[in-house]
Amino acid sequence: YALEDATSNYDVLIGHFKDEEGRRGYMISNPTNPYDNQTAEVSLTISSKYQGALVVQNGEEKVVTLQKGKLSLEVSSTGAAFVIPLKAK
C-alpha cells in the first residue's frame, strides 16, 4: 500500500481504490455535521516509493511534493479530497 499512516484532529473516512494497472488512490472524507464547522487537519504518511501526490479538492487539481513522506490537508465539514500518490519518473 502507498498509504502507511493517517492522523486527523477529527474523524475522517478514508476509502482505498486501485485501478486496473495497480495505481492507488485515496478518498478522504470529513463526515461531520456542516453546522459544527469542523475542519479536519489530516496528515498522511505515504511510502518512500512516492515523491508527490495529485490532490483533487473543491473541483481543483494540484500536484503536491511530499515533505519527508507526509502530505497535509484541510478537509472542511462534509468535504472531501482525492489523493493519488505519484512515483518519481
Side-chain angles (χ1 to χ4, degrees):
Y1 295 97
L3 183 62
E4 295 180 343
D5 190 38
T7 60
S8 177
N9 61 333
Y10 292 109
D11 290 339
V12 294
L13 298 171
I14 300 178
H16 173 225
F17 303 90
K18 185 167 70 169
D19 70 9
E20 295 168 349
E21 296 177 19
R23 295 175 294 212
R24 305 203 181 254
Y26 301 91
M27 176 68 75
I28 297 90
S29 302
N30 180 347
T32 59
N33 186 326
Y35 296 107
D36 293 339
N37 197 28
Q38 295 176 336
T39 297
E41 296 173 8
V42 181
S43 177
L44 305 176
T45 302
I46 298 176
S47 168
S48 61
K49 295 187 294 187
Y50 299 89
Q51 299 291 319
L54 173 63
V55 178
V56 181
Q57 189 173 18
N58 300 321
E60 297 181 13
E61 294 181 5
K62 63 181 174 182
V63 174
V64 178
T65 301
L66 301 179
Q67 302 298 320
K68 297 182 180 179
K70 299 230 183 244
L71 173 65
S72 296
L73 300 167
E74 289 188 352
V75 183
S76 61
S77 295
T78 70
F82 194 73
V83 176
I84 302 171
L86 302 173
K87 292 183 178 178
K89 292 185 179 186

